């Protein structure tokens, strides 16, 4: 997929990602919203595509997303990719304190949010119904609800997480919050979070995460 860049001098980049991964969808969403040209290379990490010798030669950590520039430089870790792509745009604050605040929410997303909300979703949708990992779900839901409660409290006094306007921290937090129900979370308990999700969906250039396969959807429905 390619779209027109906001200005000249930006070559087409390649993104290795799994479309139904929240961490990968963050990158796609920002690329669409900034209008930067890119090539999406579907990489099914759930079925071993990131464990091949070819992929591991580029990213020894064996994960997606991965950004590859035209000159061959590689960048991994979703939130680092967001910051790189957002540099010089309205999606990443210039003012040092405000930028640090945005980064603090992006660190929160990776340490206090994604490890519970995303992992609960993965266990419910991508592991067999008799998987021993399902014993972890009550703890994951408890910790994920704590993260959602922190977000709810913040939204009592601010409309966004990046600063006074929508940006990278909102994109980072949106991806897995928007599909938290897949992990067993009841977002009706967090009305301000639900309204924030609706505001994100209304931003210019927004694209939703693609639907999961019929097999995974059936497994999620059976939980």
């Amino acid at each position: 997929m390619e779209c027109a860049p906001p200005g000249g001098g930006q070559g087409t980049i390649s993104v290795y990602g799994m479309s139904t991964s929240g961490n990968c969808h963050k990158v796609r969403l920002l690329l669409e919203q900034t209008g930067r040209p890119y090539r999406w290379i579907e990489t099914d990490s759930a079925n071993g595509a990131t464990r091949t010798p070819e992929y591991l030669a580029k990213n020894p950590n064996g994960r997606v997303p991965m950004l590859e520039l035209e000159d061959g430089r590689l960048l991994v870790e979703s939130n680092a990719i967001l910051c790189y792509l957002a540099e010089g745009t309205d999606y990443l604050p210039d003012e040092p304190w405000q930028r640090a605040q945005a980064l603090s929410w992006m660190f929160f997303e990776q340490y206090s949010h994604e490890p519970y909300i995303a992992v609960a979703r993965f266990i419910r949708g991508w592991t067999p119904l008799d998987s021993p990992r399902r014993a972890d779900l009550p703890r994951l839901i408890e910790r994920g609800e704590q993260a959602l409660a922190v977000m709810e409290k913040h939204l009592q006094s601010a409309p966004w997480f990046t600063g006074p306007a929508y940006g990278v921290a909102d994109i980072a937090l949106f991806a897995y919050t928007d599909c938290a129900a897949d992990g067993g979370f009841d977002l009706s308990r967090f009305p301000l979070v639900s309204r924030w999700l609706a505001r994100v969906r209304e931003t210019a250039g927004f694209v939703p995460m693609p639907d999961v396969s019929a097999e995974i959807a059936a497994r999620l429905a059976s939980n």
Side-chain angles (χ1 to χ4, degrees):
M1 177 181 298
E2 293 191 10
C3 43
Q10 292 186 330
T12 300
I13 58 179
S14 297
V15 180
Y16 296 79
M18 189 170 90
S19 293
T20 54
S21 157
N23 281 328
C24 298
H25 186 65
K26 298 173 190 176
V27 178
R28 187 198 296 269
L29 177 54
L30 180 59
L31 284 166
E32 290 286 343
Q33 294 193 306
T34 57
R36 182 161 183 175
Y38 69 97
R39 180 171 65 111
W40 184 271
I41 302 170
E42 189 65 26
T43 308
D44 190 352
S45 60
N47 287 300
T50 59
R51 310 310 302 179
T52 66
E54 294 78 13
Y55 193 88
L56 290 170
K58 292 186 174 185
N59 181 5
N61 200 28
R63 295 187 178 186
V64 285
M66 178 172 68
L67 184 75
E68 184 172 21
L69 303 186
E70 284 191 316
D71 61 10
R73 285 181 294 169
L74 300 164
L75 184 61
V76 298
E77 300 299 332
S78 60
N79 286 351
I81 295 171
L82 288 185
C83 287
Y84 172 76
L85 293 173
E87 189 66 48
T89 75
D90 292 339
Y91 295 89
L92 183 65
D94 286 328
E95 196 277 321
W97 176 255
Q98 197 60 69
R99 179 177 290 217
Q101 292 296 310
L103 289 172
S104 74
W105 280 111
M106 297 173 81
F107 289 128
F108 166 85
E109 186 267 339
Q110 284 290 282
Y111 288 102
S112 300
H113 179 284
E114 192 266 3
Y116 309 109
I117 295 176
V119 173
R121 176 179 182 252
F122 176 81
I123 289 174
R124 293 179 84 241
W126 280 265
T127 67
L129 294 176
D130 59 354
S131 170
R133 294 192 65 183
R134 290 175 180 266
D136 294 335
L137 285 171
R139 179 185 65 86
L140 294 171
I141 290 174
E142 178 185 5
R143 296 296 298 274
E145 287 180 343
Q146 291 173 7
L148 292 169
V150 171
M151 294 171 64
E152 185 82 3
K153 183 174 182 179
H154 171 78
L155 291 167
Q156 291 175 0
S157 58
W160 303 108
F161 291 95
T162 304
Y166 168 77
V168 287
D170 299 281
I171 292 172
L173 283 163
F174 175 85
Y176 279 118
T177 305
D178 192 44
C179 57
D182 290 346
F185 296 92
D186 180 7
L187 289 179
S188 69
R189 297 182 52 207
F190 305 96
L192 297 180
V193 169
S194 296
R195 291 174 203 159
W196 164 76
L197 289 171
R199 289 196 298 276
V200 174
R201 295 188 202 105
E202 293 171 355
T203 56
F206 173 81
V207 290
M209 187 189 298
D211 292 335
V212 297
S213 69
E215 177 186 358
I216 291 171
R219 193 176 295 137
L220 288 168
S222 66
N223 283 277

